[in-house]
């Protein structure tokens, strides 16, 4: 059996009932021996926190088993050979559990009456789980990294007009929680949307992405933190290619009413939507007095849980991935945010940097923002520090990242 | 219940003509060569005079009957193997020529997962509300799926307000292969319900998607069109009788 670069998630409800999430890119299923399954039950009884076990398989490949017990009887287990899982394993397992709650609700998971029915009902969450597991592999491959706790937003360009339209539409469908999404990035969202927890916002955005194969989707969802027992209708509708409007609704409106109100409200601004769709506005605006040597930047608002990526050239994909990895490995994994906001900690760290042969990365924490700046390697570190401070002030003044919270 | 007819009203080979081909090209992305996925603010720009008609179809079939895959295939979208959660709706634009007029059909295909229908009471009424047709899906490799359709047709026919056209599509059809459903089973079913089963053959790599789906889409459009014309005719006739 080959484990090359793959992760597998297993959910064990009781000793005899095991659901295996076979992530789509994975072409094999692991069958565990009875003794191994029995050992799961031992963990079920004795451990409450994340457990990590390393084992060598027959091919001398180090395999990592990660367990966590949720609600006393649901064990989520990841088996993988990816070292990146080691550091963010718990957040991955939490996210997967939340995806399961989002799909079937907490009551179904905690009071399992018919295991076979649950196995059937939980199937729609496979795609979400796939996406979450892919994020682990992306971190390993350094490509298309998906940050579990943050939502990517498109910088403010014509957002005032779109924001007004969103509120107008929000009233017409009687929903406080609504947003305009483009390729898994929030263009504009209502205040109530930003009040959802980071994981709820992320899972809902992900739900739009995995259901983008249709024109309109009306999906029952349980909000893992805000409403784990009562389902909402999460309706998403494609306005034009790649641009979706989504809202959390109650029994009304019907899908047809939802579509009609979206068509009436958004058709006057179709040109703005096309503009965003055709030219993703992720270029650093000229009025920000961009200094020579800056190739890209990432600004994070960690209290709201959102981030924006900007680059100096049109094709910034590679720079963006490096910036995300820098944030992930240098700031998040080292818990710099926690150290910074901890009032009792005298040793506050609010700056960090990396350098390589081709580029330099500088991180600056200034509550509630984090700036990750990417410059060419010729820029001295002391200059990068000054530029970072200037850029952060400029971005805040420019309202490029306001997004109407 | 009307018997579905082979396409005699719709010109079956019109898409192969110069006019049909130029209209069809407007539905395809010239860069990706895939059918354009129109949002609700968009519609095809056919650059020709045409009439647009819209119908709501609800796809029904047991869990794993490939409802999602069939709707995706008919829409020319990436075939998905996921289990549907909640209601999914895809708009399919399909151009036809009826007599001397170009008619663009907008088929609103509604589909919902089996477990969702059982768990959430609002899903089935929403799918059936103002539906023009019920599309039943079965697999030629599963005998039970056809039996279940008979039960479902009875169930939906029993509803007093039932005005739905009934369409049945069989998937995984392959000539010369031993199928779980025999020719006699099909004939028996068709005679019992007075309709023709539409067959979606197994995928052949070299076949263009339009060649594969056009007979089915043409049949669906024709059935709905004829049903509407009969309804209009009946209404006019009733009005005329009242005046008399």
């Amino acid at each position: 059996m080959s484990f090359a670069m793959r992760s597998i998630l297993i959910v064990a409800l009781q000793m005899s009932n095991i659901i295996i999430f076979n992530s789509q890119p994975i072409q094999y299923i692991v069958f565990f021996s009875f003794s191994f399954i029995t050992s799961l039950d031992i963990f079920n009884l004795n451990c409450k926190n994340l457990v990590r076990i390393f084992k060598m398989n027959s091919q001398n490949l180090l395999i990592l088993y990660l367990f966590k017990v949720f609600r006393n009887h649901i064990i989520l287990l990841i088996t993988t050979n990816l070292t990146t899982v080691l550091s963010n394993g718990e957040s991955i397992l939490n996210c997967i559990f939340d995806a399961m709650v989002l799909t079937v609700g907490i009551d179904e998971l905690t009071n399992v009456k018919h295991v076979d029915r649950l196995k059937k009902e939980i199937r729609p969450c496979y795609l979400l789980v796939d996406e979450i597991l892919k994020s682990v592999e992306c971190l390993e491959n350094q490509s298309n990294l998906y940050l579990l706790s943050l939502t990517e937003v498109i910088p403010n360009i014509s957002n005032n007009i779109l924001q007004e339209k969103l509120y107008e539409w929000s009233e017409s469908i009687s929903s406080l929680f609504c947003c305009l999404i483009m390729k898994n990035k929030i263009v504009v969202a209502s205040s109530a949307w930003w009040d959802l927890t980071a994981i709820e916002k992320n899972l809902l955005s992900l739900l739009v992405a995995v259901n983008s194969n249709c024109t309109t989707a009306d999906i029952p969802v349980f909000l893992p933190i805000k409403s784990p027992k009562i389902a909402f209708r999460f309706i998403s509708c494609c306005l034009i290619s790649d641009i979706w409007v989504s809202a959390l609704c109650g029994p009304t409106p019907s899908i047809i009413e939802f579509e009609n109100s979206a068509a009436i409200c958004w058709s006057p601004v179709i040109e703005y939507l096309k503009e965003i769709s055709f030219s993703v506005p992720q270029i650093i605006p000229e009025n920000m007095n961009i200094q020579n040597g800056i190739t890209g930047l990432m600004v994070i608002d960690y209290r709201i849980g959102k981030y924006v990526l900007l680059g100096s050239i049109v094709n910034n994909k590679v720079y963006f991935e490096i910036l995300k990895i820098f944030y992930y490995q240098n700031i998040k994994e080292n818990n710099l945010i926690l150290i910074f906001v901890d009032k009792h900690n005298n040793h506050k760290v609010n700056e960090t940097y990396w350098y390589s042969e081709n580029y330099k990365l500088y991180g600056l924490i200034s509550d509630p923002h984090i700036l990750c700046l990417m410059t060419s390697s010729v820029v001295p570190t002391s200059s990068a520090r000054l530029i970072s401070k200037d850029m952060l002030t400029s971005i805040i003044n420019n309202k490029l990242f306001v997004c109407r919270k | 219940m009307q018997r579905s007819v082979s396409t005699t009203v719709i010109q079956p080979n019109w898409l192969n003509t110069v006019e049909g081909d130029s209209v069809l090209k407007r539905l395809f992305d010239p860069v990706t060569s895939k059918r354009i996925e129109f949002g609700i603010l968009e519609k095809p720009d056919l650059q020709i005079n045409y009439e647009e008609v819209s119908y709501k179809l609800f796809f029904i079939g047991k869990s794993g009957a490939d409802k999602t895959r069939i709707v995706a295939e008919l829409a020319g979208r990436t075939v998905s193997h996921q289990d549907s959660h909640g209601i999914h709706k895809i708009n399919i634009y399909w151009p036809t020529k009826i007599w001397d007029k170009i008619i663009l059909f907008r088929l609103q295909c509604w589909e919902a997962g089996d477990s969702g229908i059982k768990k959430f009471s609002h899903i089935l009424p929403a799918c059936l509300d103002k539906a023009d047709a019920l599309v039943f899906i079965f697999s030629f490799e599963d005998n039970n799926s056809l039996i279940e359709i008979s039960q479902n047709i009875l169930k939906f026919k029993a509803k007093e307000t039932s005005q739905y056209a009934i369409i049945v599509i069989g998937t995984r059809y392959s000539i010369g292969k031993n199928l779980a459903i025999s020719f006699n089973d099909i004939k028996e079913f068709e005679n019992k319900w007075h309709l023709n089963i539409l067959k979606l053959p197994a995928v052949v790599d070299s076949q263009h998607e339009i060649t594969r789906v056009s007979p089915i889409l043409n049949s669906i459009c024709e059935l709905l069109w004829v049903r509407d014309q009969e309804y209009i005719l009946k209404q006019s006739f009733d009005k005329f009788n009242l005046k008399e």
Side-chain angles (χ1 to χ4, degrees):
Chain A
M1 181 176 6
S2 159
F3 265 99
M5 299 293 284
R6 289 290 182 260
S7 327
I8 294 177
L9 173 78
I10 295 168
V11 183
L13 292 164
Q14 290 129 21
M15 202 172 87
S16 53
N17 290 306
I18 291 188
I19 302 172
I20 297 181
F21 280 85
N22 188 14
S23 184
Q24 274 178 356
I26 301 164
Q27 299 301 315
Y28 45 82
I29 297 176
V30 181
F31 294 97
F32 287 101
S33 64
F34 180 74
S35 59
F36 189 87
I37 293 167
T38 316
S39 70
L40 283 181
D41 207 47
I42 294 166
F43 282 109
N44 188 4
L45 293 171
N46 296 323
C47 80
K48 299 284 175 206
N49 298 321
L50 187 76
V51 176
R52 301 177 181 91
I53 298 173
F54 292 95
K55 271 187 174 180
M56 297 294 270
N57 73 354
S58 55
Q59 291 157 3
N60 272 346
L61 193 65
L62 189 66
I63 305 296
L64 168 68
Y65 296 91
L66 276 173
F67 301 80
K68 191 172 175 189
V69 182
F70 293 86
R71 304 283 171 142
N72 295 327
H73 73 292
I74 302 162
I75 304 171
L76 295 189
L77 177 148
I78 291 179
T79 70
T80 182
N81 71 333
L82 306 179
T83 49
T84 43
V85 179
L86 195 61
S87 53
N88 63 351
E90 189 159 12
S91 59
I92 291 166
L93 288 174
N94 289 343
C95 190
I96 289 168
F97 183 72
D98 286 337
M100 289 162 66
V101 175
L102 185 98
T103 312
V104 295
I106 195 74
D107 285 344
E108 288 278 331
L109 283 173
T110 48
N111 307 312
V112 185
K113 286 172 189 152
H114 305 284
V115 173
D116 287 333
R117 199 175 74 188
L118 178 63
K119 282 181 185 175
K120 213 172 172 184
E121 284 180 0
I122 216 161
R123 269 192 228 152
C125 107
Y126 286 8
L127 282 178
L128 286 176
V129 174
D130 273 342
E131 290 301 314
I132 296 163
L133 288 180
K134 262 187 224 164
S135 73
V136 183
E137 294 180 12
C138 290
L139 190 60
E140 195 84 8
N141 301 337
Q142 304 201 346
S143 66
N144 210 11
L145 175 61
Y146 175 64
L147 299 170
L148 296 174
S149 56
L150 297 173
T151 308
E152 186 171 357
V153 299
I154 300 253
N156 260 329
I157 302 282
S158 9
N159 285 18
N160 285 339
I161 299 156
L162 298 178
Q163 191 78 50
E164 293 307 322
K165 278 284 158 200
L166 187 84
Y167 280 119
E168 192 186 313
W169 179 62
S170 160
E171 272 181 31
S172 72
I173 56 163
S174 309
S175 168
L176 291 174
F177 304 89
C178 45
C179 64
L180 183 73
I181 298 180
M182 192 190 80
K183 292 178 188 163
N184 214 14
K185 300 177 182 83
I186 301 281
V187 183
V188 284
S190 63
S191 302
W193 180 272
W194 289 115
D195 287 336
L196 295 171
T197 61
I199 202 71
E200 285 169 341
K201 281 180 293 216
N202 259 355
L203 287 174
L204 291 175
S205 307
L206 211 53
L207 204 57
V208 177
V210 299
N211 287 292
S212 60
N213 204 23
C214 57
T215 316
T216 307
D218 178 351
I219 300 165
V221 293
F222 298 84
L223 298 176
I225 316 296
K226 302 253 180 193
S227 175
K229 292 186 175 184
I230 298 166
F232 283 86
R233 288 167 64 220
F234 183 58
I235 314 180
S236 306
C237 157
C238 176
L239 294 178
I240 60 169
S241 178
D242 290 331
I243 296 199
W244 290 69
V245 277
S246 302
L248 280 169
C249 302
T252 56
S254 68
I255 293 183
I256 298 297
E257 286 165 348
F258 185 93
E259 284 186 343
N260 289 344
S261 67
I264 292 166
C265 191
W266 294 99
S267 54
V269 289
I270 191 168
E271 292 308 318
Y272 289 107
L273 299 175
K274 282 181 181 167
E275 191 186 315
I276 295 171
S277 173
F278 292 133
S279 58
V280 181
Q282 286 187 284
I283 302 281
I284 301 171
E286 285 173 7
N287 61 359
M288 278 178 61
N289 297 327
I290 179 172
Q291 309 260 355
N292 280 342
I294 296 177
T295 44
L297 59 93
M298 178 182 184
V299 193
I300 299 142
D301 184 329
Y302 58 83
R303 295 213 187 266
I304 298 172
K306 62 179 187 179
Y307 70 95
V308 68
L309 284 159
L310 292 167
S312 58
I313 53 166
V314 178
N315 193 3
N316 294 301
K317 202 171 180 305
V318 179
Y319 299 149
F320 288 169
E321 290 310 317
I322 295 169
L323 278 162
K324 282 195 274 183
I325 289 163
F326 170 70
Y327 161 75
Y328 198 86
Q329 295 188 343
N330 223 33
I331 297 177
K332 190 172 181 294
E333 282 190 4
N334 291 334
N335 283 328
L336 291 192
I337 307 162
L338 289 179
I339 294 168
F340 181 73
V341 294
D342 182 6
K343 286 177 185 165
H344 306 292
N345 195 330
N346 295 324
H347 181 67
K348 288 188 175 182
V349 180
N350 62 351
E351 288 171 48
T352 175
Y353 69 93
W354 267 5
Y355 62 88
S356 77
E357 200 179 328
N358 301 319
Y359 52 80
K360 190 168 276 175
L361 289 145
Y362 203 89
L364 177 70
I365 306 173
S366 169
D367 193 23
H369 295 107
I370 299 169
L371 173 78
C372 301
L373 186 79
M374 189 176 185
T375 63
S376 68
S377 56
V378 292
V379 176
T381 309
S382 55
S383 303
R385 182 171 189 256
L386 290 171
I387 295 169
S388 298
K389 287 186 174 173
D390 283 351
M391 286 301 281
L392 190 58
T393 316
S394 174
I395 286 164
I396 294 164
N397 292 341
N398 206 301
K399 296 186 178 172
L400 204 66
F401 191 51
V402 175
C403 254
R404 292 281 181 90
K405 168 67 179 79
Chain B
M1 193 181 302
Q2 76 275 46
R3 192 180 173 94
S4 43
V5 285
S6 58
T7 60
T8 50
V9 178
I10 289 177
Q11 295 181 22
N13 295 321
W14 173 69
L15 289 175
N16 297 331
T17 64
V18 177
E19 185 187 42
D21 188 50
S22 67
V23 169
L24 196 61
K25 270 183 186 158
R26 300 270 162 193
L27 300 181
F28 279 81
D29 186 327
V31 181
T32 60
S33 305
K34 285 184 175 173
R35 258 191 275 176
I36 301 169
E37 299 178 4
F38 295 100
I40 60 159
L41 300 184
E42 302 166 305
K43 61 165 63 179
D45 175 20
L46 300 188
Q47 297 194 342
I48 200 166
N49 282 336
Y50 68 92
E51 191 182 312
E52 189 183 314
V53 286
S54 183
Y55 293 99
K56 176 176 173 180
L57 296 91
F58 176 38
F59 283 68
I60 304 165
K62 66 186 237 185
S63 186
D66 280 353
K67 297 185 289 286
T68 313
R69 189 178 64 83
I70 286 176
V71 177
E73 265 197 61
L74 294 178
R77 297 188 178 211
T78 317
V79 175
S80 156
H81 296 282
Q82 73 187 86
D83 275 40
S84 301
H85 190 36
I87 304 168
H88 286 198
K89 177 179 171 259
I90 297 185
N91 293 339
I92 301 176
Y93 287 94
W94 188 248
T96 59
K97 188 149 192 180
I98 298 178
W99 302 306
D100 58 344
K101 269 201 295 193
I102 294 171
I103 312 282
L104 182 67
F105 282 81
R106 180 167 165 259
L107 303 174
Q108 302 174 51
C109 302
W110 291 54
E111 184 248 319
D114 220 23
S115 58
I117 289 178
K118 284 175 190 157
K119 191 172 175 181
F120 299 100
S121 57
H122 72 278
I123 292 181
L124 189 59
C127 292
L128 290 173
D129 183 38
K130 293 176 187 156
D132 294 291
L134 303 182
V135 185
F136 293 94
I137 308 291
F138 75 95
S139 164
F140 274 94
E141 290 173 359
D142 178 5
N143 195 22
N144 289 334
S145 59
L146 191 63
I147 296 165
E148 204 173 278
I149 286 181
S150 287
Q151 292 162 355
N152 274 331
I153 292 177
L154 270 179
K155 198 170 81 182
F156 286 108
K157 261 191 94 179
K159 294 191 182 200
E160 282 177 18
T161 52
S162 166
Q163 294 291 321
Y164 316 115
I166 303 289
I167 297 162
V168 181
I169 302 177
T171 61
R172 298 177 194 178
Y173 178 71
S174 180
I175 300 166
K177 192 179 166 190
N178 262 346
L179 298 166
I181 296 172
S182 68
F183 180 74
N184 288 339
D185 294 333
I186 295 294
K187 274 286 145 212
E188 196 183 313
F189 183 92
E190 288 184 334
N191 289 334
K192 184 180 174 187
W193 297 110
H194 308 287
L195 48 80
N196 289 336
I197 287 177
L198 305 175
K199 300 176 188 79
L200 187 67
V203 182
V204 180
D205 285 345
S206 56
Q207 199 176 25
H208 191 269
E209 60 147 307
I210 292 297
T211 319
R212 191 170 137 73
V213 299
S214 64
I216 296 215
L217 286 171
N218 280 341
S219 298
I220 292 174
C221 293
E222 179 153 314
L223 190 129
L224 293 165
W225 176 264
V226 170
R227 180 175 163 272
D228 265 10
Q229 299 306 308
E230 283 174 357
Y231 179 77
I232 293 165
L233 204 67
K234 191 173 171 290
Q235 292 285 313
S236 319
F237 190 68
D238 288 348
K239 265 188 192 171
F240 179 74
N241 278 352
L242 274 175
K243 277 184 187 171
E244 285 281 301

